[in-house]
């Protein structure tokens, strides 16, 4: 291995470890950003190559930066607290909320689930005196477990569907069973954790008719824009921008702290160092072969890639290998979609969720997320993997 190749791999390892192993006062994006800058300064990657690596992330990152202020301004308007009061349906709504998050993720998309349900679930938790962190975890867990059954559910699905001319029936038959099993197994893992004990003072916000009257049309517009907009070539970030402008006119308040610049810097930095290191990793041989063992290996690569460099760069790095091994597309999609249930930065949805929750004073560190992901998401991930391999073997 030449010196440049070794440096690329070392910087990738340092960037990934730096997310977890660092002084608490240093944000988790700093070490990956330093690694990316160092890579460029020593000539380990040309500037135009870095631009090419970041280009696929521009639209998702624009959405990330615009969606958090969208949720923040809706909350300041009083919309989420009013909806929480309106839908308060009993002493323990956890199962109903789990089903709702799974449905929103599947039939709308994971971004709508994270942006709109996270503040709502935090408000509901506080109405009941529950631990808001645990109820807020539902949308981000299901953003991983329920975002594979339809093309529209996840940006990764849309990329694959466009590249290989895939339709709804392909996703439903190949990844639908695994998604269903993972959602069910995930629920049984989630319910084992004591999330319903009242630990905090209850916050009984009243229904604000004005907030509902002003916020509901905006939410309807956002939901339609996130789903139907893609059919007309309208990106999600443009929908969020329009909603932000309207909300700013109503609230007259937007803060720099509402913009998750750190999450965007983390995604860009990891994407750059991972793209530089990927040619040195010998992925071609790992994607070759057939049978259940090859499927498990490719799914494992997708999980590892998502949890080290983020699932979107992991997919883009893997797709050229899929061109030569088309049967491995479904295990790869499974890995990059389900894998982020274990690591916070594994998907942009996780970073979006963390920024949205933090604005409501619900703070989750990468380690805390991983601990909960292992307890709740890992059994669901394993069950889904068994099903997706069995489905692939049966359908051929």
């Amino acid at each position: 291995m030449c010196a440049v190749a070794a440096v690329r791999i070392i910087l990738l390892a340092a960037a990934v470890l730096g997310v977890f192993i660092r002084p608490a006062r240093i944000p988790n994006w700093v070490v990956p950003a330093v690694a990316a800058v160092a890579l460029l300064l020593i000539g380990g990657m040309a500037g135009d190559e870095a631009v090419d690596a970041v280009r696929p992330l521009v639209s998702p990152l624009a959405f990330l930066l615009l969606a958090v202020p969208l949720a923040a301004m809706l909350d300041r308007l009083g919309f989420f607290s009013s909806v929480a009061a309106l839908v308060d349906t009993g002493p323990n709504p956890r199962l109903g909320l789990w089903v709702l998050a799974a449905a929103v993720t599947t039939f709308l998309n994971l971004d709508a689930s994270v942006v709109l349900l996270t503040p709502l679930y935090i408000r509901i938790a506080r109405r009941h005196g529950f631990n808001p962190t645990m109820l807020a975890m539902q949308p981000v867990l299901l953003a991983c477990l329920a975002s594979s059954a339809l093309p529209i559910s996840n940006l990764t699905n849309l990329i694959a569907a466009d590249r290989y001319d895939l339709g709804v029936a392909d996703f439903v038959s190949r990844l639908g069973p695994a998604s269903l099993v993972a959602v069910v197994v995930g629920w049984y893992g989630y319910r084992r954790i004591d999330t319903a004990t009242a630990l905090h003072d209850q916050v009984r916000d009243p229904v604000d008719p004005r907030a509902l009257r002003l916020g509901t049309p905006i939410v309807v517009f956002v939901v339609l824009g996130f789903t139907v907009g893609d059919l007309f070539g309208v990106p999600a970030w443009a929908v969020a921008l329009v909603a932000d402008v309207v909300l700013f006119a109503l609230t007259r308040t937007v803060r720099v702290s509402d913009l998750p610049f750190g999450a965007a810097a983390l995604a860009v930095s990891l994407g750059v160092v991972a793209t530089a290191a990927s040619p040195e990793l010998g992925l071609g041989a790992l994607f070759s072969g057939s049978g259940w063992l090859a499927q498990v290996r490719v799914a494992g690569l997708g999980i590892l890639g998502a949890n080290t460099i983020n699932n979107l760069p992991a997919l883009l790095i893997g797709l050229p290998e899929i061109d030569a091994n088309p049967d491995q597309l479904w295990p790869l999609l499974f890995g990059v979609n389900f894998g982020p249930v274990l690591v916070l930065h594994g998907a942009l949805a996780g970073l979006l969720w963390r920024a949205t929750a933090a604005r409501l004073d619900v703070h989750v560190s990468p380690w805390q997320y991983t601990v909960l992901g292992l307890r709740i998401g890992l059994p669901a991930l394993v069950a889904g993997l068994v099903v997706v391999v069995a489905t692939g073997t049966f359908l051929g």
Side-chain angles (χ1 to χ4, degrees):
M1 181 184 295
C2 70
V4 173
V7 168
R8 289 171 176 167
I9 293 175
I10 290 170
L11 287 174
L12 174 60
V16 172
L17 290 174
V19 176
F20 293 93
I21 305 173
R22 69 190 195 285
R25 64 182 179 277
I26 297 179
N28 64 352
W29 58 268
V30 171
V31 176
V34 170
V37 172
L39 180 73
L40 295 172
L41 290 178
I42 66 174
M45 188 180 203
D48 57 345
E49 293 175 324
V51 171
D52 290 339
V54 171
R55 187 172 289 115
L57 298 174
V58 170
S59 183
L61 288 175
F63 175 77
L64 173 70
L65 292 169
L66 292 167
V68 175
L70 165 63
M73 286 188 284
L74 275 171
D75 191 60
R76 291 191 191 109
L77 190 65
F79 177 79
F80 292 118
S81 59
S82 296
V83 172
L86 200 64
V87 302
D88 194 350
T89 57
N92 192 352
R94 294 182 303 158
L95 177 57
L97 295 176
W98 184 269
V99 173
L100 175 62
V104 170
T105 299
T106 300
F107 295 105
L108 299 180
N109 61 45
L110 77 172
D111 295 322
S113 182
V114 168
V115 171
L116 298 177
L117 296 187
T118 301
L120 175 61
Y121 284 20
I122 291 172
R123 293 296 184 186
I124 291 175
R126 287 175 174 157
R127 285 187 65 81
H128 290 266
F130 296 164
N131 180 350
T133 300
M134 291 308 305
L135 209 57
M137 283 290 294
Q138 285 198 12
V140 72
L141 289 170
L142 288 160
C144 304
L145 302 180
S147 64
S148 297
L150 295 174
I152 200 170
S153 305
N154 200 320
L155 176 61
T156 55
N157 297 351
L158 290 171
I159 292 171
D162 182 65
R163 187 178 181 115
Y164 300 108
D165 194 25
L166 302 171
V168 170
D170 297 303
F171 281 88
V172 169
S173 62
R174 291 288 190 162
L175 294 178
S179 295
L180 178 60
V181 168
V183 167
V184 172
V185 173
W187 163 249
Y188 283 101
Y190 178 84
R191 69 180 294 202
R192 288 202 313 268
I193 298 176
D194 185 11
T195 60
T197 301
L199 300 174
H200 308 273
D201 294 335
Q202 296 182 351
V203 178
R204 292 290 181 178
D205 292 318
V207 175
D208 182 348
R210 177 180 178 275
L212 291 175
R213 187 173 63 253
L214 295 176
T216 299
I218 297 171
V219 171
V220 170
F221 167 76
V222 166
V223 169
L224 290 175
F226 287 174
T227 54
V228 181
D230 274 324
L231 301 177
F232 298 95
V234 180
W237 65 262
V239 175
L241 176 61
V242 172
D244 282 344
V245 171
V246 174
L247 283 165
F248 178 73
L250 294 172
T251 64
R252 299 292 180 181
T253 305
V254 66
R255 303 167 185 165
V256 174
S257 59
D258 291 338
L259 299 169
F261 291 115
L266 177 64
V268 168
S269 302
L270 288 174
V272 168
V273 294
T275 301
S278 62
E280 322 302 337
L281 302 179
L283 296 179
L286 297 175
F287 277 82
S288 62
S290 59
W292 70 269
L293 189 58
Q295 292 185 65
V296 171
R297 184 173 63 243
V298 172
L301 288 171
I303 294 169
L304 179 63
N307 287 330
T308 53
I309 63 173
N310 188 273
N311 68 343
L312 186 55
L315 176 70
L316 296 175
I317 289 171
L319 284 179
E321 308 299 336
I322 296 299
D323 293 341
N325 303 278
D327 292 341
Q328 305 297 2
L329 173 63
W330 303 109
L332 176 63
L333 275 177
F334 173 88
V336 299
N337 288 355
F338 285 68
V341 77
L342 303 176
V343 174
L344 182 60
H345 69 265
L348 289 177
L351 299 175
L352 175 59
W353 171 82
R354 187 189 188 198
T356 302
R359 205 209 57 78
L360 291 170
D361 294 323
V362 175
H363 301 280
V364 179
S365 72
W367 277 119
Q368 289 173 310
Y369 180 95
T370 294
V371 169
L372 290 170
L374 289 171
R375 294 181 64 185
I376 301 169
L378 183 58
L381 179 65
V382 172
L385 177 58
V386 171
V387 173
V388 81
V389 170
T391 302
T393 302
F394 177 75
L395 295 178

